């Protein structure tokens, strides 16, 4: 059988991470508004700053996964922590679940606003309705979720590109003006770089949880390196495109927690009156494709832990997902009341700190320890 090209395998792994990033927080412009746009023209460089360290770690992680055959995050945790595994693994579990709760809370906030406006109900009620729909979808199992999420990644990608074309075409200023315009926080370059790096480290849950599950095709060190290279190019460039879309409309667009909605309503709707309805429909499906897999992953991890202790074994899988999923969505709706900006700013920053100590530093220690061992043999 003909061996698959090295770069193809690496690109496929990087595309999984790219698909996970291409979610509602990016399409709504919330990521850009919190981490990049306030710094003006510096914001065009910050996506590359954000993803360079984490993508280097992704390449190291892929090499560890390749050598240890650690194709799930429990096995990956054992490879990282060694003899300390049984003490540190509960913290890794907590980190992964917390990352999904923060992501679910951001989704609940956006969907609460969307359904609240459409149905003329309070945002908490809109978020609760969406939570019920998500639980029902998750109960159909992993196979359906994979198919649905894969399809929505493609829809989101082309929708995002179409929005970018419209935003750039109807931009109120020339791009040359954007390149010379400083933002409200332009004097705080150090803070902007630091927060961008933490945003990158908030993806360590994806690196150690999601990517290791799809890296069976990584067989050589060169392939592992290109996982990092392709991830850096894909992820940083899509965030750069987001900055190019939003910055011409700043600072006014930053007054709205979802800048994309503000720009559509105030600048694009007169040219494309159908766009807002289409945007809401795509966003609903995108939010569902983002939230349902997170709910399913949290439920699966809790079910596995509880079933080990001999509890709940008489109940069906769907009943377990119903109970755990309802609790998960209730918690996400509660946290969503703090606001999207607070969730993304505080939540993802907290995730970045946790990922730095629980994943990034252990990866560095394991990688260089193995490198030294190989040189000594």
């Amino acid at each position: 059988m003909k061996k698959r090209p090295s770069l193809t395998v690496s690109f496929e792994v990087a595309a999984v991470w790219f698909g996970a990033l291409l979610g509602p927080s990016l399409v709504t412009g919330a990521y850009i508004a919190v981490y990049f746009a306030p710094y003006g023209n510096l914001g065009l460089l910050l996506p590359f700053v954000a993803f360079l360290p984490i993508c280097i770690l992704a390449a190291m992680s892929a090499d560890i996964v390749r050598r240890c055959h650690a194709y799930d995050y429990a096995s990956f945790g054992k490879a990282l922590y060694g003899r300390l595994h049984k003490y540190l693994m509960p913290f890794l579990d907590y980190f992964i679940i917390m990352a999904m709760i923060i992501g679910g809370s951001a989704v609940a906030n956006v969907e609460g606003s969307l359904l609240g406006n459409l149905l003329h109900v309070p945002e908490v009620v809109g978020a609760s309705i969406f939570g019920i729909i998500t639980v029902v979808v998750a109960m159909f199992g992993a196979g359906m979720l994979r198919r649905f999420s894969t399809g929505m990644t493609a829809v989101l990608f082309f929708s995002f590109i179409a929005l970018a074309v419209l935003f750039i075409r109807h931009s109120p200023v020339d791009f040359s003006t954007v390149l010379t315009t400083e933002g409200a926080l332009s004097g705080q370059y150090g803070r902007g770089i630091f927060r961008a790096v933490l945003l990158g480290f908030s993806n360590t849950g994806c690196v150690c949880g999601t990517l290791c599950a799809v890296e069976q095709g990584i067989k050589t060190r060169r392939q592992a390196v290109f996982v990092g290279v392709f991830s850096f190019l894909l992820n940083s460039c899509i965030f750069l495109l987001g900055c190019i879309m939003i910055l011409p409309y700043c600072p006014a667009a930053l007054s709205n927690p979802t800048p994309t909605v503000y720009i559509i309503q105030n600048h694009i709707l007169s040219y494309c009156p159908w766009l807002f309805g289409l945007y809401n429909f795509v966003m609903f499906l995108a939010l569902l494709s983002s939230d349902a897999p997170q709910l399913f992953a949290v439920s699966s991890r809790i079910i596995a832990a509880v079933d080990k202790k001999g509890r709940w074994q008489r109940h069906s899988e769907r009943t377990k997902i119903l109970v755990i999923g309802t609790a998960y969505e209730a918690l996400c709706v509660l946290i969503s009341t703090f606001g999207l900006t607070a969730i993304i700013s505080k939540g993802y920053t907290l995730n970045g700190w946790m990922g730095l100590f629980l994943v990034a530093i252990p990866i560095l220690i394991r990688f260089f320890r193995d490198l030294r061992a190989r040189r000594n043999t």
Side-chain angles (χ1 to χ4, degrees), residues 109-152:
N109 180 277
V110 176
E111 193 56 59
S113 176
L114 192 153
L115 285 183
N117 291 332
L118 289 177
L119 303 178
H120 304 290
V121 297
E123 290 185 5
V124 172
V125 176
S128 301
I129 293 171
F130 178 77
I132 293 169
I133 296 171
T134 303
V135 172
V136 172
V137 170
M139 289 170 65
F140 283 94
M144 194 277 284
L145 287 176
R146 278 195 299 269
R147 291 191 294 273
F148 183 65
S149 295
T150 300
M152 277 314 302

Side-chain angles (χ1 to χ4, degrees), residues 15-96:
V16 172
W17 187 0
F18 177 75
L21 274 178
L22 194 64
S25 294
L26 176 60
V27 177
T28 58
Y31 273 142
I32 308 301
V34 171
Y35 289 99
F36 305 130
Y39 301 95
N41 49 10
L42 176 67
L44 297 170
L45 299 177
L46 288 179
F48 300 97
V49 174
F51 284 100
L52 181 59
I54 188 62
C55 289
I56 291 172
L57 285 170
M60 293 179 177
S61 171
D63 194 54
I64 293 170
V65 169
R66 170 185 72 85
R67 288 183 287 102
C68 299
H69 305 286
Y71 301 123
D72 60 79
Y73 87 83
S75 302
F76 187 69
K78 288 180 181 178
L80 281 188
Y81 302 139
R83 288 174 294 180
L84 297 176
H85 165 259
K86 68 177 182 178
Y87 304 108
L88 293 178
M89 197 62 198
F91 292 101
L92 185 62
D93 279 333
Y94 175 78
F95 166 62
I96 297 291

Side-chain angles (χ1 to χ4, degrees), residues 21-353:
L21 274 178
L22 194 64
S25 294
L26 176 60
V27 177
T28 58
Y31 273 142
I32 308 301
V34 171
Y35 289 99
F36 305 130
Y39 301 95
N41 49 10
L42 176 67
L44 297 170
L45 299 177
L46 288 179
F48 300 97
V49 174
F51 284 100
L52 181 59
I54 188 62
C55 289
I56 291 172
L57 285 170
M60 293 179 177
S61 171
D63 194 54
I64 293 170
V65 169
R66 170 185 72 85
R67 288 183 287 102
C68 299
H69 305 286
Y71 301 123
D72 60 79
Y73 87 83
S75 302
F76 187 69
K78 288 180 181 178
L80 281 188
Y81 302 139
R83 288 174 294 180
L84 297 176
H85 165 259
K86 68 177 182 178
Y87 304 108
L88 293 178
M89 197 62 198
F91 292 101
L92 185 62
D93 279 333
Y94 175 78
F95 166 62
I96 297 291
I97 291 174
M98 276 300 299
M100 292 177 182
I101 289 173
I102 291 169
S105 301
V107 167
N109 180 277
V110 176
E111 193 56 59
S113 176
L114 192 153
L115 285 183
N117 291 332
L118 289 177
L119 303 178
H120 304 290
V121 297
E123 290 185 5
V124 172
V125 176
S128 301
I129 293 171
F130 178 77
I132 293 169
I133 296 171
T134 303
V135 172
V136 172
V137 170
M139 289 170 65
F140 283 94
M144 194 277 284
L145 287 176
R146 278 195 299 269
R147 291 191 294 273
F148 183 65
S149 295
T150 300
M152 277 314 302
T153 296
V155 171
L156 267 180
F157 175 75
F158 288 112
S159 299
F160 191 71
I161 297 300
L163 275 179
V165 171
L166 285 171
F167 281 25
I168 294 169
R169 181 179 179 185
H170 298 292
S171 171
V173 298
D174 293 330
F175 188 64
S176 59
T177 304
V178 173
L179 292 175
T180 57
T181 302
E182 296 185 344
L185 300 179
S186 290
Q188 303 179 32
Y189 291 152
R191 181 173 181 265
I193 292 170
F194 182 71
R195 282 170 56 80
V197 172
L198 280 182
L199 173 64
F201 281 135
S202 71
N203 286 268
T204 49
C206 180
V207 170
C208 76
T210 304
L211 294 193
C212 66
V214 295
E215 288 179 333
Q216 291 88 344
I218 303 300
K219 303 297 183 184
T220 67
R221 193 178 306 164
R222 181 170 180 266
Q223 289 175 318
V225 168
F226 272 96
V227 168
V229 171
F230 285 131
S231 296
F232 175 70
L233 293 174
L234 288 172
N235 298 343
S236 56
C237 286
I238 198 69
F239 274 83
L240 173 64
L241 180 60
C243 289
I244 293 171
M245 289 169 58
I246 303 296
L247 281 173
Y249 300 89
C250 292
L254 300 184
S255 63
N256 194 305
T258 53
T260 300
V261 174
Y262 170 87
I263 295 168
I264 290 174
Q265 290 179 329
N266 292 277
H267 295 274
I268 311 296
L269 210 56
S270 58
Y271 303 100
C272 307
W274 46 267
L275 183 61
F276 195 59
L278 180 62
Y279 172 84
N280 285 334
F281 176 71
V282 171
M283 278 303 300
F284 177 82
L285 294 178
L287 291 161
L288 193 59
S289 72
S290 176
D291 199 30
Q294 291 180 141
L295 185 154
F296 187 81
V298 170
S299 299
S300 299
R301 185 60 184 163
I302 294 175
I303 289 169
V306 173
D307 281 353
K308 259 185 202 177
K309 299 179 180 179
R311 303 170 187 171
W312 278 23
Q313 290 184 349
R314 69 179 184 276
H315 298 291
S316 69
E317 191 82 2
R318 287 185 177 179
T319 301
K320 297 171 187 175
I321 293 175
L322 174 63
V323 173
I324 297 170
T326 301
Y328 168 84
E329 289 295 336
L331 181 59
C332 289
V333 170
L334 179 64
I335 296 174
S336 74
T337 59
F338 288 99
L340 183 62
T341 300
I343 293 168
I344 290 178
S345 177
K346 307 296 183 184
Y348 285 108
T349 299
L350 173 63
N351 246 17
W353 278 111

Side-chain angles (χ1 to χ4, degrees), residues 365-377:
I365 293 172
R366 173 67 197 248
F367 181 83
F368 285 110
R369 188 183 67 191
D370 291 350
L371 185 63
R372 186 175 61 183
R374 286 199 299 269
R375 285 178 177 174
N376 291 337
T377 56

